[in-house]
mmCIF file of all heavy atoms in Angstrom:
data_model
loop_
_atom_site.group_PDB
_atom_site.id
_atom_site.type_symbol
_atom_site.label_atom_id
_atom_site.label_comp_id
_atom_site.label_asym_id
_atom_site.label_seq_id
_atom_site.Cartn_x
_atom_site.Cartn_y
_atom_site.Cartn_z
ATOM 1 N N LEU A 200 41.143 6.737 8.302
ATOM 2 C CA LEU A 200 40.524 7.291 7.030
ATOM 3 C C LEU A 200 41.282 8.385 6.480
ATOM 4 O O LEU A 200 41.050 8.694 5.267
ATOM 5 C CB LEU A 200 39.058 7.735 7.392
ATOM 6 C CG LEU A 200 38.029 6.659 7.823
ATOM 7 C CD1 LEU A 200 36.732 7.289 8.040
ATOM 8 C CD2 LEU A 200 37.892 5.615 6.766
ATOM 9 N N TYR A 201 42.166 9.030 7.204
ATOM 10 C CA TYR A 201 42.906 10.228 6.578
ATOM 11 C C TYR A 201 44.375 10.258 7.013
ATOM 12 O O TYR A 201 45.099 11.074 6.439
ATOM 13 C CB TYR A 201 42.228 11.492 7.063
ATOM 14 C CG TYR A 201 42.061 11.678 8.531
ATOM 15 C CD1 TYR A 201 43.062 12.119 9.325
ATOM 16 C CD2 TYR A 201 40.849 11.366 9.145
ATOM 17 C CE1 TYR A 201 42.971 12.344 10.673
ATOM 18 C CE2 TYR A 201 40.686 11.539 10.491
ATOM 19 C CZ TYR A 201 41.778 11.977 11.278
ATOM 20 O OH TYR A 201 41.611 12.131 12.674
ATOM 21 N N GLN A 202 44.895 9.417 7.866
ATOM 22 C CA GLN A 202 46.220 9.523 8.331
ATOM 23 C C GLN A 202 47.284 9.104 7.277
ATOM 24 O O GLN A 202 48.437 9.609 7.279
ATOM 25 C CB GLN A 202 46.422 8.682 9.637
ATOM 26 C CG GLN A 202 46.228 9.501 10.833
ATOM 27 C CD GLN A 202 46.655 8.717 12.106
ATOM 28 O OE1 GLN A 202 46.739 7.539 12.081
ATOM 29 N NE2 GLN A 202 46.780 9.437 13.246
ATOM 30 N N PHE A 203 46.938 8.040 6.500
ATOM 31 C CA PHE A 203 47.923 7.462 5.560
ATOM 32 C C PHE A 203 47.755 8.098 4.153
ATOM 33 O O PHE A 203 47.039 7.622 3.275
ATOM 34 C CB PHE A 203 47.717 5.921 5.508
ATOM 35 C CG PHE A 203 47.892 5.326 6.877
ATOM 36 C CD1 PHE A 203 46.843 5.089 7.714
ATOM 37 C CD2 PHE A 203 49.169 5.102 7.373
ATOM 38 C CE1 PHE A 203 47.017 4.541 8.956
ATOM 39 C CE2 PHE A 203 49.350 4.552 8.678
ATOM 40 C CZ PHE A 203 48.242 4.274 9.414
ATOM 41 N N ASP A 204 48.437 9.304 4.016
ATOM 42 C CA ASP A 204 48.416 10.064 2.738
ATOM 43 C C ASP A 204 47.040 10.706 2.374
ATOM 44 O O ASP A 204 46.730 10.899 1.316
ATOM 45 C CB ASP A 204 48.856 9.222 1.574
ATOM 46 C CG ASP A 204 50.227 8.697 1.768
ATOM 47 O OD1 ASP A 204 51.102 9.435 2.226
ATOM 48 O OD2 ASP A 204 50.534 7.545 1.406
ATOM 49 N N GLY A 205 46.199 10.806 3.451
ATOM 50 C CA GLY A 205 44.937 11.555 3.307
ATOM 51 C C GLY A 205 43.782 10.677 2.805
ATOM 52 O O GLY A 205 43.922 9.486 2.573
ATOM 53 N N PHE A 206 42.601 11.304 2.691
ATOM 54 C CA PHE A 206 41.415 10.658 2.269
ATOM 55 C C PHE A 206 41.493 10.236 0.779
ATOM 56 O O PHE A 206 40.929 9.266 0.430
ATOM 57 C CB PHE A 206 40.169 11.614 2.489
ATOM 58 C CG PHE A 206 38.910 10.920 2.326
ATOM 59 C CD1 PHE A 206 38.431 9.965 3.247
ATOM 60 C CD2 PHE A 206 38.030 11.276 1.226
ATOM 61 C CE1 PHE A 206 37.182 9.297 3.034
ATOM 62 C CE2 PHE A 206 36.787 10.683 1.083
ATOM 63 C CZ PHE A 206 36.378 9.699 1.998
ATOM 64 N N PHE A 207 42.239 11.035 -0.023
ATOM 65 C CA PHE A 207 42.424 10.717 -1.441
ATOM 66 C C PHE A 207 43.899 10.425 -1.658
ATOM 67 O O PHE A 207 44.653 11.242 -2.284
ATOM 68 C CB PHE A 207 42.027 11.900 -2.332
ATOM 69 C CG PHE A 207 40.571 12.139 -2.398
ATOM 70 C CD1 PHE A 207 39.973 13.055 -1.492
ATOM 71 C CD2 PHE A 207 39.749 11.571 -3.339
ATOM 72 C CE1 PHE A 207 38.615 13.339 -1.529
ATOM 73 C CE2 PHE A 207 38.341 11.836 -3.350
ATOM 74 C CZ PHE A 207 37.785 12.670 -2.474
ATOM 75 N N PRO A 208 44.414 9.351 -1.152
ATOM 76 C CA PRO A 208 45.869 9.016 -1.181
ATOM 77 C C PRO A 208 46.434 8.926 -2.582
ATOM 78 O O PRO A 208 47.660 9.263 -2.812
ATOM 79 C CB PRO A 208 45.968 7.676 -0.434
ATOM 80 C CG PRO A 208 44.622 7.050 -0.538
ATOM 81 C CD PRO A 208 43.641 8.188 -0.574
ATOM 82 N N LYS A 209 45.677 8.494 -3.556
ATOM 83 C CA LYS A 209 46.198 8.372 -4.917
ATOM 84 C C LYS A 209 45.694 9.467 -5.861
ATOM 85 O O LYS A 209 45.887 9.413 -7.073
ATOM 86 C CB LYS A 209 45.768 7.004 -5.531
ATOM 87 C CG LYS A 209 46.248 5.761 -4.664
ATOM 88 C CD LYS A 209 47.776 5.581 -4.839
ATOM 89 C CE LYS A 209 48.182 4.322 -4.163
ATOM 90 N NZ LYS A 209 47.773 3.090 -4.823
ATOM 91 N N GLY A 210 45.045 10.480 -5.247
ATOM 92 C CA GLY A 210 44.471 11.583 -6.043
ATOM 93 C C GLY A 210 43.034 11.389 -6.381
ATOM 94 O O GLY A 210 42.591 10.234 -6.503
ATOM 95 N N VAL A 211 42.395 12.516 -6.694
ATOM 96 C CA VAL A 211 40.971 12.392 -7.108
ATOM 97 C C VAL A 211 40.739 11.605 -8.362
ATOM 98 O O VAL A 211 39.792 10.859 -8.552
ATOM 99 C CB VAL A 211 40.332 13.866 -7.243
ATOM 100 C CG1 VAL A 211 38.906 13.750 -7.754
ATOM 101 C CG2 VAL A 211 40.428 14.593 -5.928
ATOM 102 N N GLY A 212 41.647 11.779 -9.322
ATOM 103 C CA GLY A 212 41.600 11.062 -10.597
ATOM 104 C C GLY A 212 41.531 9.615 -10.452
ATOM 105 O O GLY A 212 40.673 8.889 -11.058
ATOM 106 N N SER A 213 42.410 9.094 -9.615
ATOM 107 C CA SER A 213 42.515 7.634 -9.340
ATOM 108 C C SER A 213 41.210 7.148 -8.665
ATOM 109 O O SER A 213 40.678 6.043 -8.977
ATOM 110 C CB SER A 213 43.720 7.338 -8.482
ATOM 111 O OG SER A 213 43.807 5.920 -8.265
ATOM 112 N N SER A 214 40.686 7.995 -7.771
ATOM 113 C CA SER A 214 39.425 7.558 -7.121
ATOM 114 C C SER A 214 38.256 7.502 -8.131
ATOM 115 O O SER A 214 37.478 6.590 -8.061
ATOM 116 C CB SER A 214 39.049 8.644 -6.026
ATOM 117 O OG SER A 214 40.078 8.642 -5.013
ATOM 118 N N LEU A 215 38.218 8.468 -9.032
ATOM 119 C CA LEU A 215 37.131 8.441 -10.075
ATOM 120 C C LEU A 215 37.237 7.206 -10.926
ATOM 121 O O LEU A 215 36.273 6.703 -11.405
ATOM 122 C CB LEU A 215 37.176 9.748 -10.849
ATOM 123 C CG LEU A 215 36.697 11.017 -10.200
ATOM 124 C CD1 LEU A 215 36.988 12.286 -11.049
ATOM 125 C CD2 LEU A 215 35.276 10.981 -9.726
ATOM 126 N N MET A 216 38.438 6.778 -11.163
ATOM 127 C CA MET A 216 38.651 5.609 -12.053
ATOM 128 C C MET A 216 38.068 4.354 -11.422
ATOM 129 O O MET A 216 37.836 3.418 -12.146
ATOM 130 C CB MET A 216 40.200 5.431 -12.360
ATOM 131 C CG MET A 216 40.825 6.467 -13.228
ATOM 132 S SD MET A 216 39.947 6.642 -14.815
ATOM 133 C CE MET A 216 40.323 5.073 -15.624
ATOM 134 N N THR A 217 37.862 4.322 -10.099
ATOM 135 C CA THR A 217 37.159 3.179 -9.492
ATOM 136 C C THR A 217 35.764 3.077 -9.674
ATOM 137 O O THR A 217 35.169 2.040 -9.445
ATOM 138 C CB THR A 217 37.480 3.159 -7.996
ATOM 139 O OG1 THR A 217 36.815 4.245 -7.371
ATOM 140 C CG2 THR A 217 38.952 3.195 -7.678
#
Side-chain angles (χ1 to χ4, degrees):
L200 295 179
Y201 55 83
Q202 268 189 343
F203 302 95
D204 299 322
F206 190 69
F207 292 91
K209 300 290 184 73
V211 175
S213 183
S214 298
L215 290 174
M216 291 303 293
T217 64

